[in-house]
Amino acid sequence: MPIFEERIQAEYQAIKIPTPSPSNEFIEPFKCCDEKLLVLAHDTDTESWKNDITSAWIKLSGSADTIIFSLTKNDIATNYIPTPISFVREPFAKYITIPWKDVLASDGIGCYKIKLEYNIGGISGVINWGTYDLKKYSINTAQHTARLRVKFNLNQAIQGINFTDSNVEDSIRFFGFIGERQPNMEIDNIIYQNRNVKTVIRENLNTWQIQTDPYTNPIIDRLTDLYLLSENELFISDYNQTNHTHSILDYPAIVTESPEIDYLAKYQRKAVLSCVVSDRNQNKRTFY
């Protein structure tokens, strides 16, 4: 006689809790310098290359979850209150965008921290998104730095968030250099029967070199795993007096070669990142 077993089918949604990667804690005198990011803002001018922007985001598991984005100055809540925004394609993901120009006007220069206090699936926690040293923009405060300003508008698999149609804007300022333009001119000439040579088409396919000062992994990882990997629109700026040109200011570019990391000497942690980018608008051409 056949035996029938009652079966019950059930589906459960997996909940992903944001947790930092474990790491060894050593006494490192330079660690705080690498983890604190310089951000600049101008008190009157509105040019984008004089005013940095920072965004932060998180993905929740459902409508019952909660998230509080907080901005503090010297561990005290700021007058500026970040406004959470929902992602267009992610109903349970939230982000904030902080224009440091607004923070400068409301709270002044100083040391700031962004924290994310979440409750996901009944589990509470805090994410220390970043520490920022806000200064007024000037030639002197920007000296020896370079900046990437990006717009995220793609599906980012690393974080499991679809940024499509959200156009989240962010920037990172680092000590380093952007420049060394190479025209990479492509030349197509034609030789006639009388051996005269004339131009058919010439086009400059400009490339630019991004190079950081020596950093430990917090900065290097942000550049390789976020800004250079996920940018949908990239704008490069350089603020070095010794640069060949002083006109690289929110110049539209796109990554064309894989970033490379030079780990320098042995028995020390710092490394230098370099990456080649090119013009986003390939319109520097003449033709017959």
Side-chain angles (χ1 to χ4, degrees), residues 27 76 96 222 262:
I27 298 174
I76 299 174
I96 58 168
R222 286 191 189 213
D262 182 356

Side-chain angles (χ1 to χ4, degrees), residues 189-199:
N189 296 331
I190 186 170
I191 304 176
Y192 289 89
Q193 286 184 339
N194 61 3
R195 308 312 296 167
N196 285 338
V197 181
K198 291 190 176 182
T199 300

Side-chain angles (χ1 to χ4, degrees), residues 225-236:
D225 298 341
L226 179 60
Y227 293 96
L228 296 174
L229 176 69
S230 300
E231 58 88 8
N232 187 240
E233 292 183 56
L234 171 65
F235 303 88
I236 56 176

Side-chain angles (χ1 to χ4, degrees), residues 228-266:
L228 296 174
L229 176 69
S230 300
E231 58 88 8
N232 187 240
E233 292 183 56
L234 171 65
F235 303 88
I236 56 176
S237 299
D238 182 87
Y239 305 85
N240 286 276
Q241 182 178 0
T242 56
N243 201 330
H244 179 69
T245 175
H246 293 161
S247 300
I248 308 175
L249 299 171
D250 269 351
Y251 189 89
I254 190 169
V255 176
T256 50
E257 295 184 17
S258 172
E260 295 185 356
I261 302 174
D262 182 356
Y263 291 95
L264 306 176
K266 293 182 179 180

Side-chain angles (χ1 to χ4, degrees), residues 13 21 46 49 57 81 108 122 174 187 190 203 228 234 238 248 251-252 274:
Q13 182 179 4
S21 300
T46 59
W49 47 273
W57 49 82
I81 301 176
F174 55 90
I187 302 170
I190 186 170
E203 182 174 9
L228 296 174
L234 171 65
D238 182 87
I248 308 175
Y251 189 89
S274 60

